[in-house]
């Protein structure tokens, strides 16, 4: 009897800068996995989203009108390219609104865990000398709805808790409010421990380990984060509870990255250290991410719109391609669908195969291939993989 694949709806959002180059490659790989794994995917869009759309549209809005609240709740998953055009820096209000697009979407859908793997892949050189694939393989779990980014929602408009304050008619000081709740801390820390249980431990000693990093003792919210960590850690005796102040972590991540398995941290620190881990794994162009909640998820690369290379067809699409693989795996888990899980895994394997062969690679990792050539090579590898 013919296999009737369940239909999944996936919404695509384009974004700015290199988004216009890397999003089509991510769609190409998604379509290849649909074909290879017999999936039934309805890809909606990808629709314009971000600063460029705001500038181009007569509506002066940053979302395409077809991206409605009903739609983002209805789809099985979302992927988006990076947003932001630094040329808009002069327009503070617009910049603020566009900067908060991903943040607003994360809050709207309550995507409390930002999952950001840092893995040295075959054929890729880390700036850390003598590191080989296998030496670096950790995942940062960035809390994604609180800290100093707690106040933004998109559909409700941006609700500020802090603000700019004037004296004598001039902006004289600005305040940002840093919020941490017990619920917000505990659920993301639990996510980190559950993830560690599904992994095979840190590269140096194969111990399952979750590292809590922030600035407890100095900041109250961070002290609450650490206390929540201790409470959750007590429920996971099989996973080592590890601690590092955030400044110390930045040091140790360079000196002994192989010690780390899963690292959990409040929002703003997670944002910063994921760019550090982008460098450690060889390029921001390899830095994938998934924003995950209990009911919804969206895939986006860790990096921004890379205006310095936009329009040159040299951006590395692997970051977004890997993010799409993470999204397929996430949907596969939620809907208990082995084909989707396998398709997601195959994207990860296809990327390693292309990087390992070393024939097709973009300039950020020492090659001269175009964005399109990299997308094509990964899509071809996905097609040539087979179900067990
Ligand atoms: P960036 O991440 O865009 O770029 C940092 C460096 O990494 C640049 O040299 C860039 O060329 C390189 N890089 C990034 N992605 C790459 C890829 N796929 N392939 C090859 N090289 C790549 O950071 P930035 O320049 O600080 O920010 C640019 C804009 O992006 C800003 O407007 C910022 O607000 C926005 N931004 C958006 C998001 C998001 O949408 N989630 C995240 C971060 C920054």
């Amino acid at each position: 009897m013919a296999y009737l694949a369940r239909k999944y709806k996936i919404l695509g959002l384009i974004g700015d800068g290199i988004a216009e180059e890397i999003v089509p490659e991510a769609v190409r790989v998604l379509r290849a996995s649909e074909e290879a794994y017999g999936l039934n995917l309805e890809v909606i869009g990808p629709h314009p989203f971000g600063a460029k759309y705001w500038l181009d549209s007569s509506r002066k809005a940053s979302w395409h009108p077809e991206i409605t609240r009903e739609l983002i709740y209805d789809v099985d998953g979302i992927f988006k390219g990076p947003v932001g055009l630094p040329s808009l820096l002069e327009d503070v209000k617009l910049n603020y609104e566009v900067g908060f697009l991903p943040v607003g979407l994360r809050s709207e859908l309550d995507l409390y865990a930002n999952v950001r793997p840092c893995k040295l892949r075959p054929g890729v050189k880390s700036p850390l000398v003598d590191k080989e694939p296998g030496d670096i393989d950790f995942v940062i779990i960035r809390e994604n709805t609180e800290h100093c980014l707690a106040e933004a929602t998109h559909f409700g408009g941006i609700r500020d808790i802090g603000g700019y304050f004037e004296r004598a008619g001039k902006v004289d000081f600005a305040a940002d409010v840093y919020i941490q709740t017990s619920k917000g801390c505990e659920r993301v820390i639990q996510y980190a421990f559950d993830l560690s249980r599904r992994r095979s431990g840190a590269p140096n000693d194969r111990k399952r380990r979750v590292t809590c990093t922030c600035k407890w003792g100095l900041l109250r919210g961070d002290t609450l984060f650490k206390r929540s960590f201790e409470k959750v850690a007590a429920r996971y005796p099989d996973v080592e509870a590890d601690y590092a102040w955030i400044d110390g972590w930045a040091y140790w991540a360079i000196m002994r990255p192989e010690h780390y398995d899963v690292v959990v941290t409040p929002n703003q620190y997670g944002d910063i250290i994921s760019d550090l881990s982008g460098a450690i794994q060889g390029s921001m162009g390899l830095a994938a991410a998934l924003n995950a909640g209990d009911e919804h998820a969206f895939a986006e690369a860790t990096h921004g719109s890379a205006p310095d290379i936009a329009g040159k067809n040299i951006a590395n699409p692997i970051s977004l391609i890997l993010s799409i693989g993470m999204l397929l795996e996430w949907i596969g888990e939620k809907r208990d669908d082995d084909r989707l899980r396998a398709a997601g895994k195959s994207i990860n394997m296809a990327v390693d195969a292309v990087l390992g062969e070393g024939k097709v690679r973009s300039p950020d990792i020492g090659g001269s291939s175009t964005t399109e050539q990299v997308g094509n090579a990964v899509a071809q590898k996905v097609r040539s993989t087979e179900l067990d």
Side-chain angles (χ1 to χ4, degrees), residues 18 22 80-86 95 99 102 106 116 271 275 283-286 300-309 314-319 362 364:
I18 59 166
I22 64 174
K80 71 163 269 294
V83 293
L85 286 176
N95 236 322
R106 292 166 192 157
R116 297 185 148 181
D271 190 19
D275 275 36
S283 169
M284 284 303 280
L286 300 170
E300 65 171 349
T302 292
H303 56 74
S305 56
D308 53 340
I309 57 167
I314 56 169
N316 192 342
I318 286 179
S319 52
S362 48
D364 57 309

Side-chain angles (χ1 to χ4, degrees), residues 9 29 65 91 100 123-124 158 172 185 215 228 238 248 261 277-278 311:
K9 290 188 203 169
V29 173
D91 187 335
F100 269 107
V124 179
I158 295 162
D172 191 45
C185 297
K215 198 75 184 178
S228 306
D238 51 319
D261 170 20
S277 68

Side-chain angles (χ1 to χ4, degrees), residues 183-348:
K183 178 187 167 190
C185 297
E186 284 176 27
R187 64 183 182 174
V188 78
I189 292 164
Q190 183 174 321
Y191 192 103
F193 275 92
D194 286 339
L195 176 64
S196 179
R197 274 193 177 159
R198 296 197 300 274
R199 288 169 47 85
S200 42
N204 66 342
D205 55 8
R206 287 291 148 219
K207 277 193 184 157
R208 296 201 163 87
R209 173 177 296 125
V210 179
T211 304
C212 166
T213 185
C214 56
K215 198 75 184 178
W216 68 86
L218 192 64
L219 296 172
R220 295 180 191 95
D222 288 7
T223 303
L224 180 68
F225 193 87
K226 181 179 179 252
R227 284 187 190 147
S228 306
F229 182 89
E230 286 162 346
K231 188 174 155 196
V232 175
R235 303 202 299 262
Y236 293 82
D238 51 319
V239 180
E240 186 180 292
D242 182 44
Y243 300 86
W245 278 287
I246 187 67
D247 40 351
W249 190 86
Y251 175 77
W252 288 114
I254 302 292
M255 300 305 278
R256 52 159 202 201
E258 57 279 355
H259 173 73
Y260 296 108
D261 170 20
V262 178
V263 179
V264 66
T265 187
N267 202 334
Q268 183 70 6
Y269 307 129
D271 190 19
I272 297 165
I273 68 172
S274 0
D275 275 36
L276 176 71
S277 68
I280 291 174
Q281 66 188 304
S283 169
M284 284 303 280
L286 300 170
L290 184 74
N291 298 281
D294 293 329
E295 305 299 330
H296 304 277
F298 83 80
E300 65 171 349
T302 292
H303 56 74
S305 56
D308 53 340
I309 57 167
K312 297 182 180 164
N313 198 17
I314 56 169
N316 192 342
I318 286 179
S319 52
L320 189 57
I321 289 171
L322 287 169
S323 309
I324 295 241
M326 292 171 77
L327 179 66
L328 292 186
E329 278 198 63
W330 183 90
I331 303 172
E333 283 301 317
K334 287 286 150 195
R335 311 283 187 263
D336 195 19
D337 187 328
D338 281 344
R339 282 182 182 246
L340 230 56
R341 287 191 193 102
K345 285 195 175 71
S346 84
I347 292 179
N348 191 39

